[in-house]
Amino acid sequence: MPDKKKRVAVIGAGAAGMSCAATLAAHPDKFDVTVFETAQHIGGQATSIDLDTHKYGASWLNDGVQGGSGIFRHTFNFFRRYGYSPQEVKLQVSFGKGMDNFWTNVFPSPLVDKCSAEIKKLGKVLKWVKYTLPITGILPVSVLLKLCRFSTDFSNKMVLPLLALFLGTGNQTPNVPAGLLERLFDDPNMSLWEYDPDTLLPNLPAMHTFPNLGAFYRDWTEDLRSKGVTFRIHCEVEIVQRDKKKVVLRTKRNKIDEHEREQSNVTELLSDTNSEEVMEEEFDELVLCTQAEDTLKLLGRHATWREKWVLGGARYYNDITVTHSDAKYFQSIFESHYRDELCAEPTSKERKDQISFATSKPQRREDGWIGFQPMYYTHAYPTHPDRIEMGFDCTNYQYQFRESLEDGSSPLEHDRHVFQTIFLNDAEKHLWTIDDIKDDKVIERKWWRQLGHRWQHYLRVVPGVMFINGKNHTLFGGSWTLVNMHEVACVSGIAAAYRLGATYDAFDEFATDFFSKYLLLAHGVRYKGSKK
């Protein structure tokens, strides 16, 4: 008689939940999988919105997650399974406003020259942090910078904005552990670029922009459905019983209006949500792939003291992303065009070449633009220099805006660009410049609950996850278990499935190394296929 299939409930249909379901679905003889999602769409923060092609030059925009570096091997592997590919782009950044505050990785600036000695010093400090990681790694970045006597200009204008923008740590960056800064440059599994002793950030490093995430998650969902995975979308979940014997869930399907149905990337899954439906179901295993604070609410009275301690250590903040086309506003707070006064003296051939590139007539090429066409921006408040607003020129960054243009073509007029400005932590909204964006230029406003990567997170939450994973038939997934990256979310879901008995697809040596390290850190389990 064949073994009974395990009934697995996966709560959360973001990157972690979908990765877990996909890994389990590879074993239809072993697992019966049901995915629950409270929202009316699949993908979590990885969402897309529709655009007017005639007006903006593209029909869609990724408005939550936009891209990543070459380390995102599991993410890219899922993309390619369904015919989607990440597109390489040469990264251009623009940090700060005005000659005394501005720097970029495209051409030399006075600020970089002024901080030259401190940039080199930071390299030495990062090595020191690496070799004393258990002790110095937990220090807040702001404390480390003060202890090592770095200037306020270097700290607030270069280090903190760089860390905030690329790791999504926002205005909690001063409280981020120093070990995360060191890992950003030195960890082969996490580093986004190599440390440059002359300019801090390398000149035009390669990044990757994501494909249409709404379409990708729709196709991913349809494939998993064809493999037997059940999806319950726009569904509230309550844990009725969770112990060493079983898990019982009470679920309620919510009604959905026509506007929500039109906006969903999985409308076909919502066809039967015309009436509310309450039911109780029994499962053998539970995988919680929701934000830590939501996971704690779900567990409610069933949460153990360990789970309360670990999950309660994660802190979240309310951020809002405004997608808009207000070029005048964008230029008023960010440096989006080359100006001679922003450039330092061309004291070497390398610098002359960089300036020549930056001052060239903007032209399209396969991996971005020739000429100064920044994608990532930060702006510090004059009264609070350690607080920033973040911005993206999505037209320069996301590849679909270049697809209709030939190499050598000029970019779209700036008034046709699609921008995003991200305002951080609504407790500090008195600092925001959000009211300066013209209402008729706003395409969409979207609120997020953003994880704050405080040093306490790495002292309490990250090392504590292994002690709650696997207890009472419950496993945990999500980027909050390590660092807020789409790749980490994917790996966390795969790791949860592996713990339940699924096979890990060792498709890439680098990816396998990352997976095995994550599995050991978050589950206290060694990957059996690992040679180490």
Side-chain angles (χ1 to χ4, degrees):
M1 181 177 177
D3 293 336
K4 179 184 175 182
K5 291 197 291 186
K6 284 185 182 179
R7 293 202 69 202
V8 182
V10 179
I11 302 181
M18 291 293 285
S19 298
C20 180
T23 307
L24 294 171
H27 306 276
D29 57 323
K30 296 174 64 176
F31 303 105
D32 183 355
V33 184
T34 303
V35 178
F36 298 91
E37 173 56 58
T38 58
Q40 68 270 12
H41 69 273
I42 300 291
Q45 292 190 356
T47 57
S48 302
I49 59 175
D50 294 332
L51 295 177
D52 182 337
T53 305
H54 178 73
K55 189 174 183 179
Y56 300 115
S59 61
W60 59 273
L61 173 83
N62 289 330
D63 68 329
V65 181
Q66 300 202 44
S69 76
I71 67 172
F72 284 34
R73 303 294 177 84
H74 296 87
T75 297
F76 296 170
N77 188 46
F78 282 124
F79 286 163
R80 291 178 178 126
R81 285 186 190 180
Y82 301 99
Y84 295 88
S85 293
Q87 302 294 314
E88 184 173 316
V89 63
K90 294 298 184 185
L91 178 68
Q92 297 192 29
V93 303
S94 173
F95 290 168
K97 179 72 174 175
M99 184 177 68
D100 295 332
N101 305 308
F102 167 82
W103 69 284
T104 178
N105 68 326
V106 182
F107 58 88
S109 69
L111 180 62
V112 170
D113 281 357
K114 177 183 176 182
C115 298
S116 177
E118 292 186 282
I119 293 173
K120 290 179 171 61
K121 178 181 174 182
L122 181 64
K124 297 178 182 178
V125 171
L126 292 177
K127 288 183 180 179
W128 175 61
V129 172
K130 177 181 179 179
Y131 293 116
T132 59
L133 201 59
I135 300 172
T136 59
I138 205 64
L139 285 175
V141 167
S142 59
V143 173
L144 177 75
L145 294 172
K146 287 179 181 178
L147 285 176
C148 296
R149 302 177 68 85
F150 285 102
S151 69
T152 302
D153 273 359
F154 180 64
S155 301
N156 289 342
K157 296 177 181 179
M158 294 195 72
V159 179
L160 296 182
L162 187 67
L163 189 56
L165 192 62
F166 288 99
L167 286 185
T169 52
N171 284 338
Q172 287 301 309
T173 304
N175 301 320
V176 165
L180 203 57
L181 176 64
E182 188 275 330
R183 297 288 86 185
L184 179 67
F185 285 106
D186 194 57
D187 186 340
N189 294 121
M190 282 183 61
S191 61
L192 299 180
W193 53 78
E194 294 181 358
Y195 160 79
D196 190 303
D198 296 318
T199 57
L200 186 59
L201 181 62
N203 179 247
L204 304 177
M207 292 286 282
H208 294 80
T209 56
F210 287 173
N212 186 323
L213 291 173
F216 162 69
Y217 271 94
R218 179 197 63 221
D219 292 350
W220 198 3
T221 303
E222 282 305 298
D223 180 56
L224 295 186
R225 287 182 73 198
S226 71
K227 294 177 179 177
V229 176
T230 301
F231 283 86
R232 306 277 179 80
I233 309 302
H234 210 231
C235 181
E236 295 179 17
V237 180
E238 178 188 353
I239 298 175
V240 177
Q241 180 180 340
R242 186 185 69 116
D243 51 35
K244 295 180 179 180
K245 294 182 180 179
K246 60 184 177 181
V247 175
V248 179
L249 302 180
R250 180 181 295 122
T251 60
K252 177 182 177 182
R253 301 290 294 272
N254 292 324
K255 292 180 179 179
I256 184 167
D257 61 36
E258 289 306 313
H259 174 71
E260 288 178 325
R261 190 182 303 277
E262 291 173 1
Q263 294 299 312
S264 173
N265 61 351
V266 285
T267 53
E268 62 276 10
L269 299 181
L270 300 170
S271 59
D272 60 344
T273 57
N274 295 321
S275 60
E276 295 183 348
E277 178 186 5
V278 178
M279 52 192 301
E280 284 192 6
E281 296 177 85
E282 188 175 307
F283 295 90
D284 300 302
E285 304 289 346
L286 175 65
V287 185
L288 295 169
C289 295
T290 51
Q291 298 277 28
E293 60 179 3
D294 294 328
T295 299
L296 193 54
K297 289 178 183 177
L298 271 169
L299 290 173
R301 62 185 176 84
H302 300 282
T304 66
W305 70 266
R306 284 191 180 91
E307 290 167 342
K308 291 177 181 177
W309 169 255
V310 174
L311 298 169
R315 290 289 180 270
Y316 290 83
Y317 302 87
N318 293 320
D319 299 346
I320 184 171
T321 296
V322 181
T323 304
H324 61 93
S325 60
D326 195 338
K328 185 176 180 180
Y329 159 79
F330 202 78
Q331 293 168 24
S332 72
I333 64 169
F334 301 121
E335 295 288 0
S336 57
H337 292 89
Y338 177 87
R339 294 187 289 128
D340 288 339
E341 57 265 35
L342 299 176
C343 187
E345 292 296 322
T347 55
S348 66
K349 183 182 183 304
E350 182 181 19
R351 284 191 165 201
K352 290 178 181 177
D353 291 342
Q354 291 174 359
I355 295 171
S356 176
F357 175 90
T359 56
S360 298
K361 177 184 176 182
Q363 299 175 61
R364 177 201 184 274
R365 66 182 189 186
E366 188 174 349
D367 58 358
W369 298 98
I370 295 173
F372 185 53
Q373 298 289 302
M375 305 152 189
Y376 284 69
Y377 297 80
T378 63
H379 163 75
Y381 301 111
T383 57
H384 294 73
D386 61 339
R387 298 288 188 265
I388 64 170
E389 290 177 354
M390 304 190 297
F392 298 92
D393 187 328
C394 301
T395 302
N396 285 343
Y397 185 26
Q398 296 187 26
Y399 72 89
Q400 69 272 21
F401 293 95
R402 300 191 303 274
E403 279 190 328
S404 61
L405 304 174
E406 297 179 357
D407 280 355
S409 300
S410 298
L412 294 171
E413 302 87 352
H414 218 237
D415 288 342
R416 295 181 64 195
H417 281 214
V418 178
F419 307 104
Q420 284 190 330
T421 311
I422 304 176
F423 302 95
L424 305 163
N425 189 1
D426 63 350
E428 299 175 337
K429 61 184 177 183
H430 60 283
L431 299 172
W432 294 357
T433 64
I434 191 170
D435 293 335
D436 295 337
I437 303 175
K438 291 184 178 180
D439 288 340
D440 62 348
K441 299 288 186 179
V442 173
I443 299 171
E444 183 157 306
R445 293 182 176 91
K446 188 171 289 188
W447 285 93
W448 313 92
R449 288 288 285 169
Q450 191 67 33
L451 175 68
H453 300 70
R454 310 172 309 150
W455 64 270
Q456 295 96 326
H457 189 82
Y458 294 89
L459 188 63
R460 175 175 168 182
V461 180
V462 173
V465 171
M466 72 164 69
F467 298 104
I468 63 173
N469 255 324
K471 303 295 191 296
N472 292 325
H473 298 282
T474 306
L475 291 158
F476 301 87
S479 59
W480 62 267
T481 57
L482 185 56
V483 65
N484 191 26
M485 290 182 178
H486 192 277
E487 176 70 0
V488 173
C490 287
V491 172
S492 72
I494 297 169
Y498 180 83
R499 285 292 307 276
L500 293 177
T503 301
Y504 173 71
D505 176 19
F507 64 92
D508 176 279
E509 186 176 348
F510 180 92
T512 302
D513 183 52
F514 186 20
F515 171 78
S516 63
K517 288 176 179 176
Y518 177 87
L519 186 68
L520 185 61
L521 175 66
H523 293 267
V525 172
R526 290 188 178 276
Y527 172 52
K528 294 180 180 179
S530 176
K531 296 179 181 179
K532 297 182 180 181

